[in-house]
Amino acid sequence: MIDVLDMKITLAQRSKLQDISLDHLPFGKYFSDHMLEADYENGEWKNVEIKPYQPLLLEPSLAALHYGQAIFEGIKAYRDQQGNAAIFRPLDNFKRFNISAERMQMPAVPEEIFMEGMRQLIKIDQDWIPAIADHSLYIRPFMFSSDHVIGVKPSESYKFMIILSPTGPYYIAPMRIYVEEKFVRAAPGGVGYAKAAGNYGAAMYATAHAKKQGYDQVLWTDAFEHKYAQEIGTMNVFFIIGNTAVTPDLSSGTILAGITRDSAITMLREAGLTVEERPISMDEVSAAYDAGKLTEVFGTGTAATVSLIKELKFKEKIMFFDTNNTPVSSGLKKNMADIKEGKLPDTHGWLYKI
Ligand code: COI
C-alpha cells in the first residue's frame, strides 16, 4: 500500500493485461486493473482511493437505483509517437461534470479529486492505453447518490468513481440515421444539457424503434414542433452545406455541449469553413439536399470521435451521402486523431500530459 497526498493507493497483485490483447477491441467491454473511488458524506469529500477494479457492495435501497441521481463523463487518453500518454481536454469534462452535478442537485467534485485522481489512475494503468489507430483508453468518471433511503429527496451521500476501458471505435461503419418526430430526448428547462444517466436510458426506446426499421441511431428533433435538429444518439450533429458547417446551437439547453463538438468547430474554422451554430430545421436540411448543397452529415462525440453518416431518413424521404467522398468529415477525423496522437502540433493546448 502506498500513500500519495491524501489518496490511498492499493495496487493489484496481478495485471489482467496478461489475459487480453489491446488490438481490435470492442467499445467499453474490458476494464483496466484499477479504479478510483471517493465518498461524499456529511458535506465533505473523503476516502479518496485508487484500488484494484472490483465489485461494489451496495444495498438494494441505494437511492441512485430508484430516483436516478447519476451523472457521468466520457474522456479519452491516447499514446503519442514517443509512447507518452496524454488525455484529451479533461479539464473541459471536469467543468461539464460539475454543471451536470448542479442540475441533478448533487455536490460538486473538487478539481483535485477529479483531475489529480484521474492523472494518478492513468499513470498506474498507462500500459492499458492501446497504441493502434482508432483505439484509446476511455475514461469514465461518474457519480451517483448513495443514501440507503427510498424517500424522494436529494441524497446526503454520494460516490464518485473513475474506471478505465481500453477501447476501439464506437461506431465502426458509416451510419443510417432515422429522424425522430414522435419521441423526445429533451425539452427546454429539462436536463438535456446534463450528462445525466437517465438521458441515455430514456433514449433507448426510440433507438430500439429506429433499429427495428434498420437504422443505427435517431436524430432527435425539438420537443415542441419536431422541426429542428437536435443531436444524434451519443453525438452532436454537423451538416455541411456548401462551404458552411451548420450545427444546432446550445441555447435551448436541450443539447449536450460536446467537447468534440467544440474541437470540431475550432478545427473546421481553421480549415477555412464558415461554422454556424444556430437552429437548423429538417426542412432546411431536406431543401439543401434537394439543391445538391448538402454534401456531408456527421456526428461528433468522445466515444464516437467523428462518425460518418450515409443515410438520413426524414419522413418518407431518404437522403443518401457518399461516404467515400467526405473531405470535410474525413479530414476532420484524421486531423483530430493526429493531434491526439501527437502527429500534428497541439496548438490549442488540448492535450493534458500524464
Ligand atoms: C461519450 O461520447 O463519451 C459518451 O458519453 C457516449 C457514451 C454514452 C458511450
Side-chain angles (χ1 to χ4, degrees):
M1 216 179 296
I2 316 158
D3 276 310
V4 177
L5 304 169
D6 50 359
M7 193 182 330
K8 189 161 106 188
I9 300 182
T10 310
L11 298 179
Q13 299 204 328
R14 175 185 179 278
S15 175
K16 295 178 292 183
L17 254 185
Q18 300 162 28
D19 308 330
I20 69 161
S21 145
L22 294 189
D23 287 355
H24 307 106
L25 292 164
F27 179 85
K29 185 165 174 205
Y30 299 102
F31 297 95
S32 73
D33 289 325
H34 299 89
M35 64 186 197
L36 178 133
E37 197 174 326
D39 294 313
Y40 182 84
E41 286 163 8
N42 301 320
E44 57 174 348
W45 285 98
K46 53 175 83 154
N47 309 332
V48 186
E49 192 174 355
I50 289 176
K51 57 185 177 186
Y53 183 91
Q54 58 192 269
L56 298 172
L57 191 60
L58 301 166
E59 290 186 31
S61 57
L62 186 88
L65 298 178
H66 298 268
Y67 307 122
Q69 266 188 305
I71 59 170
F72 70 96
E73 270 302 325
I75 312 174
K76 279 180 171 171
Y78 295 82
R79 203 176 273 295
D80 70 15
Q81 300 300 88
Q82 288 71 45
N84 300 317
I87 315 176
F88 191 69
R89 303 190 67 175
L91 204 55
D92 295 280
N93 293 86
F94 162 69
K95 290 177 188 154
R96 190 173 66 181
F97 189 79
N98 279 341
I99 290 171
S100 301
E102 183 185 27
R103 181 61 181 84
M104 295 302 290
Q105 194 59 33
M106 300 167 91
V109 171
E111 183 171 336
E112 199 193 346
I113 297 179
F114 191 105
M115 294 297 293
E116 185 56 17
M118 177 168 54
R119 201 181 67 79
Q120 294 275 357
L121 182 63
I122 291 175
K123 210 167 159 189
I124 292 170
D125 276 350
Q126 59 180 301
D127 289 349
W128 285 83
I129 305 176
I132 64 168
D134 285 338
H135 284 56
S136 58
L137 185 65
Y138 185 78
I139 306 165
R140 172 52 63 87
F142 60 104
M143 171 166 49
F144 58 90
S145 54
S146 55
D147 277 4
H148 292 114
V149 176
I150 56 170
V152 183
K153 63 177 183 57
S155 200
E156 283 166 21
S157 55
Y158 294 85
K159 206 174 262 303
F160 170 68
M161 300 191 67
I162 307 179
I163 55 175
L164 307 174
S165 175
T167 230
Y170 193 75
Y171 299 116
I172 294 165
M175 302 167 74
R176 303 177 71 218
I177 301 295
Y178 180 91
V179 179
E180 180 56 63
E181 293 182 279
K182 177 177 173 201
F183 302 112
V184 171
R185 177 184 174 276
V191 297
Y193 67 88
K195 218 159 166 60
N199 281 342
Y200 295 79
M204 289 178 189
Y205 185 75
T207 309
H209 179 256
K211 283 193 175 162
K212 263 189 222 144
Q213 298 175 68
Y215 292 88
D216 299 302
Q217 278 293 341
V218 297
L219 167 56
W220 299 101
T221 50
D222 70 283
F224 293 132
E225 298 176 272
H226 290 298
K227 188 171 171 190
Y228 294 97
Q230 297 274 287
E231 60 182 76
I232 295 178
T234 63
M235 307 182 289
N236 294 112
V237 62
F238 285 78
F239 302 93
I240 304 300
I241 303 174
N243 198 34
T244 301
V246 185
T247 189
D249 64 296
L250 306 176
S251 62
S252 62
T254 56
I255 295 174
L256 191 80
I259 290 148
T260 311
R261 171 189 182 276
D262 184 72
S263 310
I265 290 173
T266 301
M267 291 176 67
L268 291 171
R269 287 198 174 124
E270 285 171 356
L273 274 87
T274 303
V275 181
E276 293 175 2
E277 295 178 71
R278 62 169 174 83
I280 176 162
S281 71
M282 285 313 300
D283 288 336
E284 178 183 346
V285 169
S286 177
Y289 178 81
D290 289 344
K293 290 186 182 152
L294 176 65
T295 49
E296 297 180 45
V297 181
F298 59 91
T300 61
T302 298
T305 65
V306 177
S307 289
L308 308 186
I309 285 159
K310 66 175 179 186
E311 244 183 81
L312 201 55
K313 181 179 186 317
F314 173 50
K315 300 189 189 292
E316 296 314 311
K317 176 174 184 172
I318 302 182
M319 297 174 237
F320 294 96
F321 302 95
D322 175 7
T323 49
N324 291 316
N325 181 22
T326 48
V328 177
S329 40
S330 298
L332 177 67
K333 186 180 168 93
K334 180 175 186 314
N335 288 345
M336 215 180 266
D338 283 354
I339 293 173
K340 291 168 176 174
E341 290 160 20
K343 295 179 193 157
L344 277 179
D346 173 26
T347 52
H348 304 286
W350 285 340
L351 296 183
Y352 179 89
K353 300 262 160 64
I354 301 295

